Amino acid sequence: MENFLDEREKQRRMANRRRLKKRAEKLRKIKIYTCMGAVGVIGIALIAWCVTGNNSDDEKKAGGNNTVMVGADATLNSYNEVENTEKDTEKDTEETTEKQYGYGDEVYSDGKFVVCIDPGHGGNDVGCEGIDGSYESDDDLALALLVKQHLEEADVKVIMTRSVDEWVDLADRPYIANKSNADLLVSIHRNSNEEGAVNGVEAWISGKENDNSYEIAKLIMNNLDRVGISRNRGVRSGSMTSEDKDYVVNGKSCMPSVLLEMGFMSSPTDNRLFKQNLEGYAKAIAEAVLQWSETQPY
Ligand SMILES: [Zn+2]
């Protein structure tokens, strides 16, 4: 690990650790305050019950419930605040600098083609929230596991950055792909738009001039288009922030890398298509990878 991390990356990883520590601390405080609040509310309720006797009327019950609800909402908002901070890290980008090279000593692929699949988010970081109350982190994982299954059936070696609902540091995701000497990295996400009128699927690749991810991204998009998507938003380079800033998975990986945005969770059409075509999307992505692998020397 130490050998291939440059100074800048080390500092970034340390900053990430500090951020996670802060987040854990904040969550712990929220929990303590919530417990204290709950104890306080129960205490007041008990005193009120003792003073007024046991024959409380409906009005009092409603008042009591309201007090508890305020506490619960306050907690929810605090958690949302934490989650929103997490969501921001998903859009974290890197200046387009040199990709990192080296390593590849952890996975013995037996000559197989190696693909690293990265389901976005996980754990406390749920990603986008769907209008139907679903979480992006669950959708990302569901599709990623199906892609894995199809690729393994075709004798491809698959490395997952996560296989369950758990948090994985953003910087660790390209690191896992690099360390595994993967031939390709596919990161799976879903999108969201506050106005709700936007829909479609898009693929993001690095904006670096020497990046060679376009072909695989294009193949995936063509295959998904055939299965059925509301709109093909194409292959885009850089990130939403800027063409010069890559998403971390694309910018920090040293192999062709594609970040897929599998439709908008704010769009009922995209949500319906995602559910309906989940299996078809997985096959489409896996088949594009297999088709592309035949053109690659590995
Ligand atoms: Zn995402």
Side-chain angles (χ1 to χ4, degrees):
M1 178 198 277
E2 295 303 320
N3 291 340
F4 85 92
L5 291 177
D6 60 30
E7 201 51 41
R8 187 162 159 252
E9 179 66 5
K10 271 187 207 164
Q11 281 170 7
R12 228 184 80 74
R13 289 167 68 83
M14 277 171 71
N16 264 327
R17 297 264 180 278
R18 281 198 295 274
R19 183 179 52 74
L20 281 176
K21 215 171 159 190
K22 259 190 192 169
R23 183 169 62 102
E25 190 81 347
K26 196 172 174 186
L27 281 169
R28 200 171 56 81
K29 277 183 189 163
I30 290 166
K31 280 176 188 163
I32 291 169
Y33 292 150
T34 308
C35 286
M36 285 166 68
V39 169
V41 168
I42 291 166
I44 291 164
L46 271 174
I47 293 164
W49 183 76
C50 289
V51 171
T52 60
N54 194 13
N55 50 353
S56 57
D57 55 26
D58 287 344
E59 203 177 59
K60 277 178 195 157
K61 272 183 197 163
N65 283 340
N66 283 342
T67 312
V68 175
M69 279 308 291
V70 169
D73 284 348
T75 313
L76 204 66
N77 286 337
S78 304
Y79 272 101
N80 283 342
E81 208 180 294
V82 174
E83 281 167 7
N84 284 339
T85 314
E86 284 306 315
K87 261 187 261 173
D88 292 340
T89 66
E90 186 247 317
K91 298 297 178 196
D92 204 358
T93 55
E94 279 293 326
E95 296 282 349
T96 49
T97 52
E98 284 295 300
K99 284 197 175 189
Q100 296 171 2
Y101 293 92
Y103 25 99
D105 53 349
E106 280 205 346
V107 169
Y108 299 95
S109 66
D110 300 326
K112 289 179 184 175
F113 193 73
V114 181
V115 178
C116 179
I117 302 177
D118 170 44
H121 315 276
N124 284 330
D125 171 16
V126 299
C128 303
E129 289 180 40
I131 43 174
D132 54 357
S134 57
Y135 293 141
E136 183 200 345
S137 54
D138 294 332
D139 283 2
D140 295 345
L141 183 61
L143 179 57
L145 288 173
L146 281 174
V147 176
K148 172 185 190 275
Q149 190 188 315
H150 285 295
L151 287 173
E152 283 180 343
E153 280 167 10
D155 213 23
V156 170
K157 176 89 184 168
V158 177
I159 306 294
M160 302 290 287
T161 56
R162 70 176 178 101
S163 300
V164 292
D165 186 17
E166 66 181 2
W167 162 253
V168 179
D169 193 303
L170 193 59
D172 283 342
R173 296 168 189 252
Y175 171 75
I176 290 167
N178 291 346
K179 191 80 177 159
S180 311
N181 207 15
D183 299 292
L184 173 68
L185 170 59
V186 179
S187 187
I188 296 177
H189 285 257
R190 293 203 63 202
N191 230 330
S192 187
N193 183 282
E194 275 175 22
E195 284 155 30
V198 187
N199 58 15
V201 170
E202 63 198 23
W204 288 91
I205 58 173
S206 166
K208 293 179 183 70
E209 267 181 31
N210 61 349
D211 188 74
N212 51 354
S213 312
Y214 180 79
E215 288 304 324
I216 176 61
K218 184 79 182 150
L219 277 172
I220 292 175
M221 287 306 300
N222 287 349
N223 280 5
L224 289 171
D225 216 353
R226 273 197 286 271
V227 175
I229 52 180
S230 62
R231 188 179 154 207
N232 184 339
R233 298 169 61 87
V235 177
R236 308 173 71 178
S237 57
S239 63
M240 283 298 281
T241 323
S242 158
E243 269 188 38
D244 299 325
K245 287 188 173 187
D246 292 334
Y247 288 120
V248 170
V249 282
N250 290 336
K252 289 291 178 184
S253 53
C254 61
M255 70 287 301
S257 166
V258 185
L259 185 150
L260 296 171
E261 291 281 10
M262 298 297 301
F264 285 75
M265 296 188 74
S266 45
S267 155
T269 311
D270 281 0
N271 287 340
R272 179 178 53 76
L273 287 170
F274 186 84
K275 281 198 185 84
Q276 188 181 309
N277 293 332
L278 189 65
E279 179 63 31
Y281 287 164
K283 259 191 194 163
I285 296 167
E287 275 165 17
V289 170
L290 290 173
Q291 208 180 328
W292 179 79
S293 73
E294 284 164 18
T295 66
Q296 299 300 304
Y298 64 90

